[in-house]
Amino acid sequence: MKPIHVLILMLALSALLIFLATFHVSTGIQTDIDVQEMTMTFHGMDATAEIRYQIGLLTHIYAFFFGGRNLDPYISDFLVGFPDYKIVSVGSESATVELYNVTRVSNNYYLHDSHQLGSSADSLVLVYPNGQTKTYENVSETPNTFYER
């Protein structure tokens, strides 16, 4: 490692420590994500989920330096009740996930059975294909619901 890299690293760590000491920022390690809002937009038998969350300071710094993809296990833990999904993008404050086969067809309706979440979400917003939305507060599972084909 070049001396200039060591100097930059030491300056960055010093600045971080000064910031933490000056503003009394809590450095408690938060090992999971705190989900503020999950928005599920239904389309056919699938849905797209936009998950907004907060992470601890140290986790935030780690994700900044090494990329948001390191948060994938936390997103997977949150989506424990969904057997088939693909994480499209992950950032330090939100993630986008494609959820597959979250509904089933019955006559002229799509039926969504409840799915367990790995932790609670402060808010769950369901967006139906016709544009109608329903919001639920403090949920640990998605509700049973239906919408027209």
Side-chain angles (χ1 to χ4, degrees):
M1 183 178 266
K2 293 182 180 180
I4 191 72
H5 291 136
V6 173
L7 179 63
I8 291 172
L9 180 62
M10 295 308 255
L11 287 174
L13 288 174
S14 298
L16 178 63
L17 290 174
I18 290 170
F19 173 78
L20 294 175
T22 304
F23 296 105
H24 304 289
V25 176
S26 171
T27 58
I29 297 174
Q30 185 175 339
T31 58
D32 57 354
I33 59 176
D34 179 26
V35 177
Q36 270 84 49
E37 182 178 272
M38 177 176 171
T39 302
M40 281 182 62
T41 305
F42 291 105
H43 40 86
M45 293 180 63
D46 303 328
T48 301
E50 180 71 28
I51 305 168
R52 285 189 322 103
Y53 49 80
Q54 285 185 335
I55 55 178
L57 177 64
L58 295 178
T59 308
H60 186 76
I61 292 170
Y62 184 82
F64 176 76
F65 284 112
F66 299 107
R69 279 294 175 186
N70 293 301
L71 299 175
D72 282 5
Y74 298 116
I75 302 298
S76 294
D77 288 346
F78 178 71
L79 297 172
V80 69
F82 292 93
D84 193 14
Y85 61 88
K86 177 184 174 190
I87 299 174
V88 177
S89 66
V90 179
S92 61
E93 296 178 353
S94 67
T96 303
V97 180
E98 291 293 329
L99 305 169
Y100 302 112
N101 300 314
V102 296
T103 62
R104 56 189 165 86
V105 177
S106 178
N107 296 326
N108 287 331
Y109 293 95
Y110 287 106
L111 306 175
H112 172 77
D113 295 323
S114 178
H115 291 279
Q116 189 70 30
L117 301 174
S119 62
S120 65
D122 295 342
S123 176
L124 172 66
V125 179
L126 302 180
V127 181
Y128 298 100
N130 65 2
Q132 180 186 3
T133 63
K134 286 188 180 177
T135 303
Y136 301 89
E137 302 296 324
N138 196 27
V139 296
S140 58
E141 63 185 13
T142 62
N144 293 322
T145 189
F146 66 94
Y147 56 94
E148 286 189 59
R149 263 179 107 174

